[in-house]
Amino acid sequence: MALRATDSTRWQLGARVQGGFLSPHHESLWIMVDRHAWAMELHAERPFSGRKPWHGNFAGPRWGIGAMWLDPGSDVLGPAFRVLPYLVLPITPGDAWQLESRIGWGLGLVRDPFDRVDNYKQHSIGSRLNLAVQLAMVMRRSWGPHALEAGIALDHLSNGAMQRPNLGINVITLQTGYTRRLGASAPVHVARDSSGDARRMGYFVMANVGWNEVFPVGSGRRPVISLTGSGYRCVSNKSSIGFGVDLFHKESLRIAEPDLADSPATELLQVGVHAGYNLLLGDMALQFETGTYLRTPVEERAAIYTRVGMRQHLTPKLFANLSIKSHFFVADHFEIGLGYRFR
């Protein structure tokens, strides 16, 4: 069945204004909050071509890039700037009104990172260059070449525990924006995915490597190796759910727990189980997994961990992985690796 997208193939330019607050997700961050946060963003968007089957599953998805200046409302943190490619995935189809989700990841700069002499009260981020992530839910009203939107957004900055401190920045805002299409409308006709793959089960194994740093500050980065086995079942042409087992080996545990300094490698092993959800975008999948430890040699800050990232299929069987593992918004380590699908 063909679906008519509500946008055109033309570029769209716009601006957004956001206002909210810096979320003190750790008790040590309360002293950093001085005022409300606000941000301004300029962005450019363009609908996908409509040629790939997954385009029809979302009734006209778009992609874009945004440049944001952010005042997180903290004097010791200072302003931040980020550039972020993103996806816009409509939830409800419509020519005039659409409920949309926006998911993006890119790079951000923090003006005033932690410094043990000049900025020791800044407990959130120890590096100037960081990963930037945005999750947003907006309602969009379109007429002719114009569109207005309003919604709520979460902006996150973190270095993935590559350098301590790294509690990260989470800014929650209400946002409004205006977008204008350039040129005349050119409707896109897309076909809904009818591949028949929607109820298949897939089994995956994945190996990753990463690095992290633990306290004390300046202790240095240590390697992290992880191995994951999982099974996922597609519940629609858009998504799949599943379960899996994780093995983590972190050399930084020798620093975090001095009693493990001379222990064999097997003593550093962490074992966990997770449940997950994948958002399917053709050869790419966005992954969201939550797990708990069955075995760990040290008591983590939280018994629950999460993994957020993306998997890009290089062949029908082989895929690349890029993700970040965290404990309740506090990054534990980045992961980059390869995986294989058995079915």
Side-chain angles (χ1 to χ4, degrees), residues 318-337:
L318 184 68
F319 62 89
N321 177 76
L322 178 64
S323 56
I324 185 170
K325 174 176 171 278
S326 62
H327 298 109
F328 289 120
F329 296 107
V330 179
D332 188 47
H333 62 268
F334 277 120
E335 297 177 320
I336 184 169

Side-chain angles (χ1 to χ4, degrees), residues 12 140-149 177-181:
Q12 305 169 28
R140 178 182 172 102
R141 173 67 168 91
S142 302
W143 71 98
H146 310 282
L148 291 176
E149 64 179 45
Y178 168 77
T179 303
R180 192 184 195 285
R181 186 183 66 238

Side-chain angles (χ1 to χ4, degrees), residues 7-227:
D7 283 311
S8 73
T9 55
R10 300 288 185 177
W11 281 100
Q12 305 169 28
L13 301 181
R16 300 185 180 103
V17 177
Q18 299 175 212
F21 60 92
L22 175 67
S23 174
H25 56 280
H26 188 273
E27 60 270 14
S28 66
L29 299 182
W30 279 103
I31 63 171
M32 292 177 50
V33 180
D34 298 305
R35 58 189 176 276
H36 285 98
W38 72 281
M40 295 184 63
E41 182 182 40
L42 299 177
H43 63 88
E45 295 180 359
R46 184 172 184 144
F48 283 95
S49 66
R51 297 188 183 98
K52 295 186 178 181
W54 74 268
H55 296 166
N57 294 337
F58 293 93
R62 305 189 303 279
W63 63 275
I65 185 168
M68 174 187 284
W69 183 90
L70 169 67
D71 177 0
S74 173
D75 291 334
V76 298
L77 184 58
F81 176 79
R82 65 107 168 110
V83 176
L84 185 128
Y86 60 83
L87 297 174
V88 178
L89 303 176
I91 297 174
T92 59
D95 291 336
W97 293 92
Q98 275 192 312
L99 179 64
E100 301 177 335
S101 62
R102 187 167 66 244
I103 305 170
W105 52 95
L107 294 176
L109 291 174
V110 174
R111 190 191 69 180
D112 300 323
F114 169 84
D115 185 275
R116 65 178 66 202
V117 175
D118 297 326
N119 200 19
Y120 59 89
K121 292 183 179 180
Q122 206 271 72
H123 304 299
S124 60
I125 283 186
S127 60
R128 196 175 301 275
L129 181 64
N130 296 275
L131 172 72
V133 177
Q134 185 183 74
L135 302 174
M137 188 72 66
V138 301
M139 180 63 74
R140 178 182 172 102
R141 173 67 168 91
S142 302
W143 71 98
H146 310 282
L148 291 176
E149 64 179 45
I152 186 170
L154 168 65
D155 283 276
H156 175 77
L157 290 172
S158 167
N159 64 41
M162 293 286 284
Q163 186 174 341
R164 294 290 181 172
N166 185 54
L167 294 173
I169 302 171
N170 294 302
V171 181
I172 300 174
T173 58
L174 297 177
Q175 67 123 86
T176 184
Y178 168 77
T179 303
R180 192 184 195 285
R181 186 183 66 238
L182 303 180
S185 176
V188 179
H189 294 269
V190 294
R192 185 179 297 277
D193 186 0
S194 58
S195 63
D197 196 41
R199 298 297 182 269
R200 290 189 58 186
M201 191 75 182
Y203 300 95
F204 305 83
V205 63
M206 178 175 65
N208 292 295
V209 63
W211 291 265
N212 72 346
E213 182 181 83
V214 297
F215 287 106
V217 174
S219 61
R221 299 185 185 95
R222 299 292 191 277
V224 181
I225 298 173
S226 65
L227 181 66

Side-chain angles (χ1 to χ4, degrees), residues 218-298:
S219 61
R221 299 185 185 95
R222 299 292 191 277
V224 181
I225 298 173
S226 65
L227 181 66
T228 296
S230 58
Y232 275 84
R233 181 181 182 86
C234 292
V235 294
S236 72
N237 289 324
K238 296 181 182 180
S239 57
S240 63
I241 58 174
F243 301 90
V245 177
D246 298 303
L247 303 178
F248 303 103
H249 180 274
K250 295 191 292 187
E251 282 292 326
S252 59
L253 293 181
R254 299 187 190 274
I255 306 299
E257 182 54 62
D259 291 342
L260 296 174
D262 299 320
S263 299
T266 54
E267 290 298 317
L268 305 180
L269 191 66
Q270 295 177 299
V271 182
V273 293
H274 69 260
Y277 169 82
N278 285 339
L279 185 63
L280 306 178
L281 306 172
D283 292 334
M284 184 176 71
L286 303 182
Q287 57 177 331
F288 306 89
E289 296 176 346
T290 299
T292 186
Y293 295 104
L294 299 180
R295 178 192 184 277
T296 179
V298 299

